[in-house]
Amino acid sequence: MSDTPRMTADTPPAPAATPPMLELENVAKSFGAVVALRSGSLRLERGSIHALIGENGAGKSTLVKIVAGLYRRDAGDFRLNGESVDFGSTAQSKAAGIAVIYQEPTLFPDLTVTENVFMGRQPVGRFGRIDRKAMRAEVEQLFARLGVGIDPDRPAEGLSIADQQVIEIAKAVSLDARVLIMDEPTAALSGVEVDRLFQIARSLRDEGRALLFISHRFDEVFALCDTVTVMRDGAYIATTPIGETTVDGLVRQMVGRDVTDLFPKLPAEIREPLLEVEGLSSPLFHDISFTVRAGEIVGLAGLVGAGRSEVARAVFGVDAYDEGTVRLGGRAIPKNRPDAAMRAGLALVPEDRRKQGLVLESSVARNVTLAIRETIAKAGLITSGMENRAAKEWASRLEVKTNALSTVAGTLSGGNQQKVVLGKWLATEPRVLIIDEPTRGIDIGTKSEVHRLLSELAGRGMGILMISSELPEVLGMADRVLVMREGRITAEIDRDDATSENVMFAATHAQGAHQ
Amino acid sequence: MTATIEKTAVTKRLHAIGAVREFGILLALALVVLAATVANPNFLFSADGWRDLLLTPSILVLVAIGQAIVIITRNVDLSVGSILGLSAYLTGRLFIDLQGIPIVAVFVIAVVFGGLLGLVNGALVAFAKVPAMVITLGTLYAYRGINVLWTGSDRINASDLPKDFLALGTGQILWIPILTIIAVVVLAVTGWIMKNTRGGREFYAIGSDPAAAELYGLRVTRRLLIAFVVSGALAGLAGVLYAARYGTINSQAGSGWELDAVGAAVIGGVAITGGVGSVWGAAIGAWLLLTINRALPILGIPDFWQRAVVGALIIGAIVLDRVLAVRQRRKLLEAREDDR
């Protein structure tokens, strides 16, 4: 498969006699120079449950946000019942009969369930008095129809996510929404809750509504949906009736791209084990064991929410874990002690550098020396001179593009910020570096610089654990790929054997990912 | 889970907690009155005592109602004391400069004037997206500055004001001071609106989760403007009544009232984080706050300690609310486990 989609051949088949409920054709959306959606197409029919799947960053969320009225499209067609529409607000989308149920619903915690269902459109009587009885009666009717027994008078606070979703669905049904979009609704649900949700979804389908179900779980897609649309790299790939496809076929459509030699991974001598994690478990992940050796880059792949960052945070000691051990160079690191982990030679470059990695208001020099304050201080005092001397070396080695070390970190570009965070941790001279999404939101040029740097560090004997949601990055950089799915490591694949298909398969499907 | 939906035990208990919260301050008020009356029976059982018990808090009740509405939307209005001061001086000037102006006209002008000052607050908060704490702290000083500029060392005296107007400040209808009647009417109306209308419920929704309010498509900007206008208008009304009650107005009238109003709302169970509480609670809070101030000297508590007692009351109220909130959350979570 080629990387450039052939527009004409890749758009859905020509319209039938009655126009589809909702139709998107070659919709595009950019944010500045970043293209979030190149050419999104989708066709939802009445009485159908349609699945939308694709890798992280395939453009699914952008597409949904355009439909929901949160974003305005730059180009392309968007039709409802055959009529062209353009939503400037969520209210307009709602009024047109579209309801979006997000993974984590937003309800008013202090208000009752009933008020949450009706907020903004309560039935009113004389003097604008809200008719509580009518409201309550309608909620009972709705809940009976959906088969749920949530107490309508309790506040929304403390409700499970499943119940909150049901309230969102009740809201949508009471609005008589014709199009329901569920964005990864099952991510936080238990088995029973998923069954209940599916039952509700099917009954809504049988009423003639159009449902869009976004999920990473193939078993659910096959169990619930009748049609599936695949997106990749911000573009529409294919729409297929569920009976005519297989998990393998979908995976191939999701990843079908060439791994380019964008990433200059240099060969490095892989030596003794440095970081050894054994049987690590917490409510968020189970029985995680792996080893990172000196000179090795281990890629940790998986979908967003698979528990990768959680594992990293636990290993580094930011979060606690229930069972298991973490060793570095043979010595155990006590749990929940980031300071001990740092002393042992571990460094963590977090996923969200703006929130967790940088003091945005401080200078580059201060940021770079933040983790080594104690070493550079003399008698507990630090001067700007000391900071600058220590920071200078790292800034030049990392080629941070800034006029002065006194530049405030928040004003740097994403790539340069990432380098500053890297510099901060490299200044501690770690033996093992854990780096979470090293190149998210960074331009191509800086991206390859970061990769070159990681490769160099490994060459000098550092062990690197690289968490990444970008398959090409994992495949290009890692000596070994670990794949996580729903809190477990589901595959360990050597560099030579790793392909987009088998990694994606292990990330999305439960069995048989080893080759 | 069952098909029929009945009030669960937890819901019942939660309603009970809500009622207990407001009943609690009412009880505290009763205890204060009781203690003061035991120490000096005139505190309650004299014409003046009874009148003062009702009259003293009436003006603050109005300001506290406005404050409660603003706090329920997860904002705060620190400029109400300054608005009250400006409105009180405006009232005096109207009577002096426009001899024979109808009293009703003065009321209307002062309320509209207060509303406009509130609109400035609301517009700055809603459009500039700057926290209300900062904006209204700014207008607190700005409005007071205008007041000082306008008033200078001038002072309006009771002799400058019409007798009929001053009579409002101390007059009674059937043992109940007129100011108290005004306060209770405003309280009943705002209380009803907050509880029973879409607009009222939207104030709670916005304070409970502003982001969700946007997603629901509520007109958040408009609601915030209304909340601040109401708060300003009530402070404007309070300013007229202040003039009627005290007769003497200088450039410092109403200074510090914003803190009493916030204190009253918090004591009355209005959560400073928004979404919770009622104007009734804030009104009772105002009543308790000022009654304690009057009772403490009678109980022989030195002046020095009186402010500390008020402070303790506010902290106590916040601690109580936290404890109740934590208990409520736990109960709700337990109820959820029971469902499984």
Side-chain angles (χ1 to χ4, degrees), chain A residues 36-365:
Chain A
L37 191 61
R38 278 189 295 139
S39 163
S41 298
L42 184 70
R43 178 193 300 261
L44 298 186
E45 303 286 352
R46 291 167 190 78
S48 150
I49 304 180
H50 195 117
L52 179 62
I53 62 173
E55 267 189 276
N56 305 319
K60 294 168 298 182
S61 322
T62 311
L63 192 87
V64 167
K65 283 178 179 161
I66 288 171
V67 173
L70 281 164
Y71 296 159
R72 260 202 153 108
R73 64 184 190 276
D74 300 334
D77 296 321
F78 177 7
R79 285 184 293 270
L80 266 183
N81 290 317
E83 281 174 36
S84 185
V85 286
D86 183 22
F87 299 137
S89 71
T90 51
Q92 286 177 16
S93 162
K94 229 175 261 181
I98 296 171
V100 184
I101 289 133
Y102 296 97
Q103 192 176 335
E104 304 219 346
T106 40
L107 298 177
F108 303 110
D110 302 305
L111 304 185
T112 66
V113 167
T114 308
E115 285 205 277
N116 266 290
V117 172
F118 287 99
M119 182 52 68
R121 48 186 192 89
Q122 299 94 332
V124 289
R126 258 153 49 100
F127 308 116
R129 184 199 181 109
I130 293 172
D131 189 345
R132 283 172 201 277
K133 267 195 192 143
M135 217 158 81
R136 164 87 199 212
E138 195 179 332
V139 163
E140 284 194 25
Q141 212 186 339
L142 272 172
F143 283 4
R145 192 160 132 208
L146 298 176
V148 289
I150 305 167
D151 177 355
D153 295 321
R154 62 163 285 159
E157 180 170 2
L159 281 174
S160 68
I161 290 196
D163 284 346
Q164 292 182 39
Q165 285 175 347
V166 167
I167 291 171
E168 291 276 6
I169 293 174
K171 212 166 80 187
V173 173
S174 82
L175 270 165
D176 201 27
R178 307 307 297 165
V179 179
L180 267 93
I181 301 176
M182 295 190 270
D183 192 356
E184 293 196 48
T186 58
L189 306 197
S190 68
V192 189
E193 292 168 334
V194 169
D195 289 345
R196 184 181 67 173
L197 183 73
F198 283 11
Q199 242 169 29
I200 294 173
R202 288 194 187 99
S203 72
L204 294 176
R205 174 196 64 196
D206 296 342
E207 290 170 10
R209 297 173 210 270
L211 280 80
L212 181 68
F213 178 74
I214 299 172
S215 179
H216 285 310
R217 299 182 180 170
F218 285 123
D219 45 343
E220 293 177 359
V221 168
F222 278 90
L224 182 68
C225 306
D226 41 51
T227 318
V228 52
T229 291
V230 180
M231 287 184 73
R232 185 211 315 151
D233 297 334
Y236 168 85
I237 299 299
T239 297
T240 331
I242 205 80
E244 295 172 19
T245 187
T246 60
V247 173
D248 281 345
L250 291 178
V251 167
R252 221 167 297 126
Q253 290 176 338
M254 281 166 74
V255 298
R257 70 158 101 70
D258 306 321
V259 179
T260 55
D261 281 332
L262 184 63
F263 313 107
K265 168 72 173 87
L266 308 169
E269 188 198 346
I270 295 174
R271 298 188 312 240
E272 77 283 359
L274 281 178
L275 179 67
E276 293 163 284
V277 174
E278 235 181 82
L280 215 59
S281 290
S282 91
L284 300 167
F285 47 81
H286 315 279
D287 197 19
I288 302 294
S289 302
F290 62 86
T291 307
V292 178
R293 287 183 279 266
E296 185 183 36
I297 297 181
V298 176
L300 187 50
L303 299 166
V304 169
R308 297 168 302 162
S309 303
E310 288 77 4
V311 168
R313 289 170 60 86
V315 168
F316 189 63
V318 187
D319 297 334
Y321 48 88
D322 300 330
E323 279 171 50
T325 54
V326 177
R327 292 166 184 283
L328 207 153
R331 295 238 312 269
I333 301 175
K335 68 172 149 185
N336 218 348
R337 290 275 304 278
D339 58 327
M342 273 168 67
R343 266 199 304 278
L346 196 58
L348 171 71
V349 178
E351 182 178 13
D352 185 345
R353 58 184 164 265
R354 294 184 72 88
K355 270 195 195 143
Q356 300 167 1
L358 280 177
V359 184
L360 292 174
E361 296 80 8
S362 291
S363 69
V364 168

Side-chain angles (χ1 to χ4, degrees), chain A residues 94 106 108-110 115-116 120 122 128-130 132 136 151-155 157-158 160 171 193, chain B residues 5 7-8 11 14 192 195-198 201-202 205 208-209 213 215-216 218 276 328-329 332 336 340:
Chain A
K94 229 175 261 181
T106 40
F108 303 110
D110 302 305
E115 285 205 277
N116 266 290
Q122 299 94 332
R129 184 199 181 109
I130 293 172
R132 283 172 201 277
R136 164 87 199 212
D151 177 355
D153 295 321
R154 62 163 285 159
E157 180 170 2
S160 68
K171 212 166 80 187
E193 292 168 334
Chain B
I5 301 162
K7 272 196 180 182
T8 59
T11 309
L14 287 178
W192 189 87
K195 188 161 181 272
N196 289 314
T197 65
R198 280 189 191 174
R201 300 318 294 170
E202 286 177 15
S208 190
D209 190 338
L215 277 180
Y216 265 71
L218 302 186
V276 178
Q328 162 169 346
R329 188 167 303 139
L332 286 171
R336 177 174 137 190
R340 292 291 131 78

Side-chain angles (χ1 to χ4, degrees), chain B residues 45 73 122 128 132 176 183 193 198 225 255 299:
Chain B
F45 299 111
T73 66
I176 301 177
I193 290 173
R198 280 189 191 174
L225 286 178
S255 26
L299 295 173

